[in-house]
Every structure is written in C-alpha cells, then in structure tokens.
Amino acid sequence: MRTYLDFEKPMAELERKLEEMKTLAKENNVDFSDAISLLEGNITNLRKEIFENLTRWQRVQLSRHPDRPYTLDYIELICDEFIELHGDRQVRDDPAIIGGLANVGGQSFMLIGQQKGRNTKQRQHRNFGMPNPEGYRKALRLMKLAEKFNKPIVTLIDTPGAFPGMEAEERGQGEAIARNLKEMFMLKVPVICIVIGEGASGGALGIAIGDRVLMLENTWYSVISPENCSAILWRSWDFKEQAAEAMKITAKDMKKNKLIDGIISEPLGGAHLDHNWMAEELKRVILENIKELAAIGDQDRIDQRIDKFCAMGVVVE
C-alpha cells in the first residue's frame, strides 16, 4: 500500500474513493467513466496545489519517503550492466556505500552511491545509510581506479550523515572524509554528484566534490538536519519546521546561493510515485553532463572545480 505523508492526507481520501469506484465499476460491469475522469482531474488539481506550495520541512519529509528510489533502485533501472566492487583494502567492505563499474547506453563510468534500506533487516545491514570510514576509503579507491582507466565518476548521495559511533572515530572517520575532499578536487576525470535524498553534513560531502553537483527537486543538503539544529538552538525537536525554513536547505535554496549547479525535476508528487520516470530523467541528465564535461581538458576541468568551491561563501561588497 502507498504511504501518505501528513500533508498528503487530503489526496489519500480522494484516491481511496477513486479505487472504490473503479472496483465497483469492474465488479458490477457499470460505466463510471465520466465520474472516474472527474475524480482523477480533481486529484491532479489537488496534487498540483499541494506540491506547488511545499514548505521546506515538507520537502525534507519527501526526501525521506520510505518508497523513494534509492541507489540500488537506480542501478537496476538505468544500468545495462553493473559490476559491484567491494572493500577498502584496509578494514572491510561497508554496505552503506555501493560502488562499481556501470554501463548505461554504451557509456561506461564508475557509479558510487549511499544506500539505506527498505525494511528493518536491510537498514541494519546498510547501517541506515550512514557510512563508516571504510566506506569513504572504498569510495576513494574506486575513484582512483576510475581515474586510472579514464572513466567518469557519478556519485549518488543519500545519507542522514556519516556514522558517529566510537569505533568509526577510532578508525579515522574525520580523516577519511577529509582525504576524500582533497583527492576529489584533483581527479582528472569528470565527476558528477547528485543528491537523490538526504544530503547531511560531511557524510554527504565525502562523495560530493564534483564538476557538476546536482539535486533532485525534493531533496535537501546541509551541514545539519533540521531536527538536530532545533535540538541545539531550542533544546527540542519541536522547532524543526522553523529550523528548516531558517537554514534554507532545499534544492531551490542551494541553486539560488550558487552551492549547486542544477536541479533535476521529479514527477508531480515526488520521485516515489514513478520510479521509472525518475530513473529515465536521471539517466538523461547523467549522460548529458558526461558528454559536456568530456569536452573540457583535464586541467581546465580541475581548475574550474577548485574555483567553483573556493567561491562558495565569499561575500563581495
């Protein structure tokens, strides 16, 4: 069954009535086509009204929707071939980060993404999408491998943050992320980074230094989540909505502040409503950007990448 968020509840009732009407028409062989068409139109209009006026907190909720496509879903839908590669060659493999060689429409590249989970068992296995240091070191190993064989790199970002456990800190969580930032600036191949869900803190930034940094329409990208910001400022999670508004963390905010390069549209109602449509759009954007970046010389691409990030946060009076 479809999961409805709080602000989608008005639609839920109409869609329930629509299903009942379709079932009744089928069981009794009665023509309700006019009434069904009218109700479908009302649902579409209501959906437009709701999703054209979303608050920042509502977009955060959409980015966490349990039916939203994750990295593995995109791999299955857009890749003609995918060979997963494991391990950081130091500690172990980290299931929170998936990486491997992908082939899409004849274009091969290294695909690296953070993966959450659909059920309790999967979430525990994937550590809720929170990578350990070995996850970031695995990602860097695969990036260096891509550079060696002159393959573009695509990263899919969806994490509530890097794992904050004591064992992660003991194995050098901060160093692993910092090294990724430094090394990603100097990669000689095109790098495309796409926020497909949550983009929280250094956990996201650890695989997000690229020539093109893009966000799906209903995602967020920030140094801290609205709940944790609220907890710090107000000593309670009750002010998360105000925190989200103040932090300006949505794709539109990021684009306006020149922190990302573009926004990828989602189907009306969110990516979770049509995985196939969303995957095709993501595929189109990836291939277009790889083609554009491939036309730029390696050193020019590196210089542009560095200049872009160095310009962030600079105030010109």
Side-chain angles (χ1 to χ4, degrees), residues 151-303:
K151 299 296 181 184
I153 298 166
V154 176
T155 68
L156 302 181
I157 299 147
D158 185 13
T159 179
F163 183 57
M166 184 181 294
E167 61 272 29
E169 298 299 337
E170 289 173 345
R171 293 197 297 274
Q173 185 75 285
E175 185 276 339
I177 294 173
R179 182 172 296 276
N180 277 25
L181 305 188
K182 173 181 177 294
E183 296 292 343
M184 289 186 76
F185 275 118
M186 305 307 296
L187 289 170
K188 296 177 183 178
V189 294
V191 184
I192 301 166
C193 308
I194 305 172
V195 181
I196 61 171
E198 298 186 88
S201 193
L205 198 59
I207 58 168
I209 304 296
D211 305 296
R212 296 283 189 275
V213 180
L214 310 170
M215 292 177 68
L216 267 60
E217 186 179 352
N218 295 310
T219 61
W220 65 276
Y221 194 19
S222 174
V223 69
I224 194 171
S225 70
E227 295 95 327
N228 288 328
C229 176
S230 175
I232 291 172
L233 296 181
W234 290 284
R235 307 294 181 185
S236 168
W237 279 18
D238 296 339
F239 300 92
K240 53 187 177 292
E241 292 91 344
Q242 293 94 313
E245 290 297 321
M247 291 162 64
K248 295 179 170 56
I249 58 179
T250 65
K252 287 183 179 179
D253 297 321
M254 294 294 108
K255 184 70 168 66
K256 182 179 179 181
N257 291 321
K258 299 179 180 180
L259 298 174
I260 63 169
D261 301 299
I263 299 172
I264 303 174
S265 299
E266 295 186 21
L268 182 63
H272 59 282
L273 291 184
D274 195 338
H275 287 203
N276 290 320
W277 188 96
M278 193 68 252
E280 283 299 315
E281 182 66 8
L282 195 70
K283 175 181 176 180
R284 180 188 65 79
V285 170
I286 289 172
L287 294 179
E288 281 184 3
N289 279 275
I290 287 177
K291 185 177 180 181
E292 290 175 9
L293 292 169
I296 305 172
D298 293 350
Q299 191 57 51
D300 288 340
R301 202 165 46 238
I302 291 171
D303 292 341

Side-chain angles (χ1 to χ4, degrees), residues 56-224:
R56 290 180 174 89
W57 173 245
Q58 287 169 341
R59 291 195 187 277
V60 171
Q61 289 178 289
L62 276 174
S63 75
R64 299 169 174 168
H65 198 287
D67 300 329
R68 193 173 180 84
Y70 296 148
T71 294
L72 278 176
D73 298 311
Y74 288 120
I75 288 173
E76 183 179 347
L77 290 170
I78 72 173
C79 295
D80 300 318
E81 187 177 3
F82 181 75
I83 302 172
E84 186 174 358
L85 302 173
H86 297 272
D88 68 338
R89 299 298 184 267
Q90 294 182 51
V91 180
R92 65 181 178 92
D93 186 48
D94 185 356
I97 288 187
I98 294 169
L101 289 165
N103 186 290
V104 177
Q107 172 68 57
S108 59
F109 54 86
M110 186 67 75
L111 180 58
I112 300 166
Q114 290 154 332
Q115 175 70 20
K116 293 179 178 177
R118 291 286 173 206
N119 53 45
T120 302
K121 187 175 181 180
Q122 288 179 5
R123 289 175 189 132
Q124 289 176 334
H125 176 62
R126 302 287 179 184
N127 202 28
F128 298 85
M130 297 186 291
N132 279 279
E134 50 269 26
Y136 293 105
R137 291 179 179 126
K138 173 172 73 171
L140 181 58
R141 181 178 75 83
L142 299 187
M143 291 177 199
K144 288 294 187 179
L145 188 65
E147 183 181 45
K148 180 178 180 180
F149 292 101
N150 196 31
K151 299 296 181 184
I153 298 166
V154 176
T155 68
L156 302 181
I157 299 147
D158 185 13
T159 179
F163 183 57
M166 184 181 294
E167 61 272 29
E169 298 299 337
E170 289 173 345
R171 293 197 297 274
Q173 185 75 285
E175 185 276 339
I177 294 173
R179 182 172 296 276
N180 277 25
L181 305 188
K182 173 181 177 294
E183 296 292 343
M184 289 186 76
F185 275 118
M186 305 307 296
L187 289 170
K188 296 177 183 178
V189 294
V191 184
I192 301 166
C193 308
I194 305 172
V195 181
I196 61 171
E198 298 186 88
S201 193
L205 198 59
I207 58 168
I209 304 296
D211 305 296
R212 296 283 189 275
V213 180
L214 310 170
M215 292 177 68
L216 267 60
E217 186 179 352
N218 295 310
T219 61
W220 65 276
Y221 194 19
S222 174
V223 69
I224 194 171

